Amino acid sequence: MNEEMRAKRNYTRKYAKDFNIFTKLFQIYALNIIFLPFAFLFYSIECKKNNYKVKSPCIVAPNHISYFDPFLATLATNIGLAYMAKKELFEGKGFLGWYVRRNISRLGAFAVNREKLEVSTIKSAKEVFKANFSLCIFPQGGIRKNKKIEAINKGFVVLAKMVKVDILPVAISGVEQYNWNIFKRNKIKLEVGTPISYLDDEEDIIQNWRKQIADMTNYELA
């Protein structure tokens, strides 16, 4: 088996033992030692949680507007998260490709095919919840900077019903364009919405998520 095939197998299929105290510690380190000191140079961050409390593992579902979003989702929820990440992030070559794979995997990410929900993805997701972690999925798939709630992939709903967990909407706004001016400090707004039951109809769940995100971000429903 060549190196590419090993990388694909290792970073696609995850087990409960892969989501542990060391994963949480690395997330705390990455968030508080690396990301936040850097982010506070250029942004102020406001977080509103609407008195929510996560009582059991769930699917955390933020809108997606920047490469900062995984860190911001962790900051907003303050719970152990695993992340679904596009498989292309794990396919880089050379030292840089290895470095990216190694560190996003240590953060609790695993590779997924954004075009379809694969068996390995479902199995890995079940292992996430078995480890008492929640799973972060971006329903929009790729980054959307146009301030519109559109192009929703229903895979997060299908998965929620398969594993029988609720969905927690998280709204992110204010970083549609990156700011590198330390004197400007744009405001990033985070808001945690109301959990959506996996027992609701599929279309109702999608519409509920879209409306909550639109209301919290003032984005246009498209």
Side-chain angles (χ1 to χ4, degrees), residues 129-145:
F129 298 117
K130 189 185 296 184
N132 206 37
F133 272 61
S134 291
L135 179 60
C136 183
I137 303 176
F138 296 101
Q140 292 170 295
I143 291 173
R144 307 276 186 254
K145 294 180 175 290

Side-chain angles (χ1 to χ4, degrees), residues 93-105:
K93 299 183 183 299
F95 174 79
L96 181 60
W98 169 83
Y99 184 81
V100 170
R101 284 194 300 272
R102 177 174 180 269
N103 284 286
I104 61 177
S105 180

Side-chain angles (χ1 to χ4, degrees), residues 11 14 19 23 26-27 70-71 81-91 97-111:
Y11 292 109
K14 292 290 186 177
F19 307 101
T23 308
F26 191 67
Q27 289 180 359
F71 294 104
L81 289 179
Y83 308 89
M84 280 190 178
K86 61 182 181 180
K87 64 180 182 179
E88 290 82 3
L89 289 176
F90 296 84
E91 295 175 350
W98 169 83
Y99 184 81
V100 170
R101 284 194 300 272
R102 177 174 180 269
N103 284 286
I104 61 177
S105 180
R106 288 172 69 190
L107 282 169
F110 59 96

Side-chain angles (χ1 to χ4, degrees), residues 52-179:
Y52 94 103
K53 184 175 181 181
V54 177
K55 296 181 179 179
S56 59
C58 63
I59 288 178
V60 173
N63 59 309
H64 201 5
I65 61 174
S66 77
Y67 289 110
F68 296 165
D69 295 346
F71 294 104
L72 295 172
T74 301
L75 178 64
T77 56
N78 195 32
I79 56 177
L81 289 179
Y83 308 89
M84 280 190 178
K86 61 182 181 180
K87 64 180 182 179
E88 290 82 3
L89 289 176
F90 296 84
E91 295 175 350
K93 299 183 183 299
F95 174 79
L96 181 60
W98 169 83
Y99 184 81
V100 170
R101 284 194 300 272
R102 177 174 180 269
N103 284 286
I104 61 177
S105 180
R106 288 172 69 190
L107 282 169
F110 59 96
V112 298
N113 183 343
R114 292 183 296 173
E115 302 300 320
K116 62 179 179 178
L117 191 61
E118 297 178 330
V119 173
S120 61
T121 300
I122 297 169
K123 290 182 177 179
S124 294
K126 288 181 177 179
E127 294 293 313
V128 168
F129 298 117
K130 189 185 296 184
N132 206 37
F133 272 61
S134 291
L135 179 60
C136 183
I137 303 176
F138 296 101
Q140 292 170 295
I143 291 173
R144 307 276 186 254
K145 294 180 175 290
N146 59 1
K147 296 189 177 183
K148 293 182 179 180
I149 306 301
E150 60 183 0
I152 309 303
N153 188 320
K154 69 177 183 178
F156 77 113
V157 179
V158 174
L159 185 58
K161 288 183 171 295
M162 283 184 175
V163 296
K164 296 180 171 57
V165 297
D166 293 340
I167 295 166
L168 184 67
V170 175
I172 303 171
S173 59
V175 68
E176 295 83 5
Q177 299 296 327
Y178 298 111
N179 170 51

Side-chain angles (χ1 to χ4, degrees), residues 21-59:
I21 185 61
F22 297 107
T23 308
K24 291 182 179 179
L25 288 174
F26 191 67
Q27 289 180 359
I28 292 170
Y29 167 79
L31 179 66
N32 292 284
I33 304 302
I34 299 176
F35 175 73
L36 285 179
F38 163 79
F40 282 138
L41 286 175
F42 305 100
Y43 300 92
S44 63
I45 301 176
E46 176 185 293
C47 184
K48 183 179 180 181
K49 299 193 176 185
N50 294 323
N51 298 316
Y52 94 103
K53 184 175 181 181
V54 177
K55 296 181 179 179
S56 59
C58 63
I59 288 178

